[in-house]
Amino acid sequence: MYKKMFLLLCLMLEIGMAYSSGWTYGRKEHGVDHWGEEYEECSHQRQSPIDFNSEEMIPKDEVALRFLNYNQIPNDVKILNNGHTVKLEFNVSQPLYMYGGGLWTAYKLAQIHLHWGHDDSSGSEHTVNGKTYPVEIHFVHFKARFTDLTAALADPEPDTLAVLGVFGELSKDDNMKLAPMINSLEQVKNKVGTNLKIKPFPASNFFPKDLSRFYRYEGSLTTPACNEIVMWTVAQKAIPISESQLDALRSLREEHGDALVDNYRPVQPINGRKILNVSTYNIESVSGASQVYSSVLITCALSLAFNKLF
Ligand SMILES: [Zn+2]
């Protein structure tokens, strides 16, 4: 009898601890202002997101950002409402790579997730001259030499992850490329923690028309434990999204039934970091012999990535 009660007490303590180590958005207990109390790195000096202020950024030219296999239709796509965001994972035959654009190595896509507000006045994590967007999409990549995200996180460096951020801006019409995800939200809105397979679509559906200009800086994850291991690339061109599509995101529920909205962290101090305003050019458009040169660069980027040189 006593043994059973003791075990029950242990279980309750453990659940209690798990709950107290949970974090939330908003300003209350466990909210964004308190993350640093439990997750020390959240109070460090190279945190994300930030505001991109035109007057403080450094202009930079780079070769084009490249994406390999992003147009591939995956074998399946899994969607998950994890209580903090909606996350998509692509089960693909060929890994999805991002490289070029000033990145030092090649990166593989791990997952895509989104941040949004309760109305159109907020939602994005990064801001541009103080302006917010109603939604921000994050493509989370890890260094291609690692087999998966967990292995990459076990070997933390300032550029272990490369996250591509894409803003969504309000449009009158639905963005049909987002439809496969938006239409599946109904099935996960009340099911925190349940993975669901949805109609496959290419990850490039979330790309803006133009990725030739972006912001680049060294920062962190925007959720605890706020690890300072992210090379950020935030596209300047947004994708369109309609009010009804945003409402579908806002219909999601957190674990305890509250609306899952305003899942963005406020902007953080820059603390002297270099923030680049990058314009890219295609090697093809510069020289006639460039096709060959360009393939050599691709091969180099990928082989460097696998050779543990970085
Ligand atoms: Zn994110």
Side-chain angles (χ1 to χ4, degrees), residues 25 85 111 113-115 125 136-140 163 221-223 232 263:
Y25 289 102
T85 185
Q111 46 108 328
H113 65 265
L114 297 92
H115 302 266
E125 298 214 289
E136 183 171 336
I137 303 169
H138 287 161
F139 296 69
V140 181
V163 181
L221 298 178
T222 63
T223 55
W232 277 95
N263 56 350

Side-chain angles (χ1 to χ4, degrees), residues 30-219:
H30 306 301
V32 289
D33 300 328
H34 300 278
W35 289 357
E37 293 160 20
E38 271 187 76
Y39 304 94
E40 199 204 325
E41 215 160 334
C42 298
S43 309
H44 285 192
Q45 303 293 301
R46 292 189 297 117
Q47 291 290 293
S48 296
I50 59 163
D51 177 52
F52 299 113
N53 182 324
S54 304
E55 291 180 8
E56 287 168 18
M57 283 186 286
I58 302 164
K60 182 107 200 281
D61 289 326
E62 290 286 0
V63 292
L65 199 55
R66 300 280 189 173
F67 296 90
L68 198 62
N69 303 325
Y70 267 75
N71 289 324
Q72 175 187 193
I73 307 268
N75 302 324
D76 60 68
V77 177
K78 273 191 302 190
I79 193 165
L80 170 74
N81 168 3
N82 68 7
H84 294 302
T85 185
V86 61
K87 187 170 87 174
L88 296 158
E89 285 180 338
F90 294 76
N91 173 10
V92 282
S93 314
Q94 302 294 323
L96 277 56
Y97 293 101
M98 173 169 83
Y99 59 97
L103 294 169
W104 278 87
T105 185
Y107 291 84
K108 260 193 263 186
L109 182 73
Q111 46 108 328
I112 296 176
H113 65 265
L114 297 92
H115 302 266
W116 61 90
H118 69 281
D119 65 20
D120 301 338
S121 68
S122 63
S124 65
E125 298 214 289
H126 292 93
T127 58
V128 181
N129 296 316
K131 173 190 153 80
T132 58
Y133 289 82
V135 67
E136 183 171 336
I137 303 169
H138 287 161
F139 296 69
V140 181
H141 302 79
F142 57 91
K143 272 189 191 164
R145 70 178 161 91
F146 293 103
T147 46
D148 55 33
L149 187 59
T150 313
L153 293 177
D155 191 8
E157 287 178 279
D159 62 348
T160 291
L161 303 184
V163 181
L164 170 67
V166 174
F167 297 121
E169 66 186 352
L170 193 61
S171 68
K172 219 159 49 65
D173 302 318
D174 287 347
N175 178 343
M176 294 321 290
K177 290 187 167 177
L178 301 183
M181 175 196 68
I182 296 288
N183 295 341
S184 63
L185 295 175
E186 180 68 27
Q187 296 169 68
V188 294
K189 69 178 187 185
N190 295 312
K191 289 189 183 155
V192 175
T194 310
N195 268 304
L196 192 83
K197 277 189 194 175
I198 62 172
K199 190 180 163 206
F201 61 91
S204 59
N205 272 24
F206 292 120
F207 280 174
K209 276 196 182 130
D210 176 8
L211 275 163
S212 68
R213 285 169 179 272
F214 52 82
Y215 308 114
R216 162 72 47 74
Y217 76 102
E218 283 183 30

